[in-house]
Amino acid sequence: PEDVSIIETKSDYYEFSDTNPKDGASSSLPESVDNSQSKYFPKIGNQGGIGACVAWAQSYYQFTYEINKSRGVTTTPENTFSPKFTYNIANGGKDKGSFSQDVYGIMKMTGNVPITMVPYDNDCFSWSATEEIWREAINYRIKDYQYFTEIGNDDTQITSADDEDLTAIKTALSEGDVLTYSTCILDWKDTKIKENSATPENSKFVGESAVTHQAGSNGGHRMTLV
């Protein structure tokens, strides 16, 4: 969307997030982070056979995590937020997926409700037409949202793990944020991880699959980056 701010640098991130850099954050980043291990991250769920991936990534995972982190409360089933509530508004009456800006827009204008109030199922068309639910949603809204530079375009191809185009995203993750992104999952290509004496710490993953690249544009899918 034209009216959404774009984060391109580490400085942009700190400006838009209104976060003060941690000591040393301006010059270095940790080797790795995994925000899914946080007490604010919800239990891993399953979107099932309907196209609710955007709502799962943004409403269930990201929104639940960020709002509970901002409140300093541990995530439980009672304060995990519903992907059905936002998907059924955003999908236009068809199970053909939804757009990230539509789901963010709903959470900015209308809000979202705990999944205990609107449980997730394969019914992707019904609306929650009760006053109690809509009044509850107003209590849980986002102030705004931003996009990062469009990684993967011709002018931002990633060439290494240290590529500067990844710095802003790595900074957000290291500061404890959860992000979402789009990919074409049906064209993912993978390989089996092999033993490598140069990286003995990866031995425990030998035999598992690792995605190496994307070879097409089929299977649009929204995912969560932790």
Side-chain angles (χ1 to χ4, degrees):
E2 294 181 357
D3 59 341
V4 174
S5 302
I6 302 295
I7 296 174
E8 298 187 74
T9 66
K10 184 182 292 189
S11 297
D12 289 343
Y13 165 75
Y14 285 119
E15 177 184 351
F16 289 125
S17 66
D18 199 26
T19 299
N20 294 318
K22 298 174 184 175
D23 292 339
S26 60
S27 59
S28 63
L29 290 167
E31 283 293 315
S32 63
V33 295
D34 183 0
N35 294 321
S36 71
Q37 300 303 305
S38 167
K39 66 180 182 179
Y40 308 121
F41 199 79
K43 180 181 178 181
I44 301 299
N46 188 340
Q47 76 180 76
I50 63 177
C53 59
V54 176
W56 272 90
Q58 296 175 191
S59 300
Y60 182 87
Y61 292 115
Q62 186 182 43
F63 184 71
T64 295
Y65 174 89
E66 292 289 352
I67 198 167
N68 288 336
K69 178 164 70 76
S70 72
R71 298 163 67 208
V73 297
T74 300
T75 292
T76 66
E78 287 70 31
N79 59 23
T80 295
F81 287 84
S82 174
K84 177 179 177 178
F85 181 79
T86 53
Y87 179 58
N88 286 19
I89 300 173
N91 65 21
K94 299 178 181 179
D95 186 24
K96 299 291 185 180
S98 57
F99 293 102
S100 64
Q101 63 265 31
D102 291 340
V103 172
Y104 282 136
I106 290 164
M107 292 192 295
K108 183 176 180 179
M109 180 177 66
T110 303
N112 199 4
V113 295
I115 199 169
T116 50
M117 295 189 75
V118 182
Y120 187 77
D121 53 33
N122 287 321
D123 179 0
C124 50
F125 303 123
S126 67
W127 281 26
S128 306
T130 64
E131 180 179 351
E132 177 189 12
I133 288 174
W134 289 82
R135 286 188 177 277
E136 183 71 6
I138 289 293
N139 295 317
Y140 302 103
R141 289 182 288 175
I142 61 174
K143 179 181 179 181
D144 212 343
Y145 61 98
Q146 290 84 31
Y147 284 105
F148 287 81
T149 302
E150 293 187 36
I151 301 299
N153 284 344
D154 290 342
D155 57 345
T156 57
Q157 289 296 314
I158 301 304
T159 57
S160 75
D162 299 319
D163 195 305
E164 290 185 359
D165 284 322
L166 294 174
T167 300
I169 289 175
K170 289 181 176 181
T171 299
L173 293 171
S174 70
E175 290 286 356
D177 285 322
V178 164
L179 313 178
T180 67
Y181 71 105
S182 293
T183 186
C184 297
I185 199 167
L186 295 184
D187 281 323
W188 277 14
K189 302 300 178 183
D190 67 308
T191 188
K192 296 292 183 182
I193 298 174
K194 299 177 181 178
E195 193 73 49
N196 187 339
S197 60
T199 55
E201 66 275 14
N202 290 337
S203 294
K204 59 185 176 181
F205 302 114
V206 169
E208 294 186 13
S209 293
V211 175
T212 58
H213 64 287
Q214 178 183 304
S217 56
N218 295 302
H221 190 46
R222 194 78 171 173
M223 300 179 74
T224 309
L225 191 61
V226 297

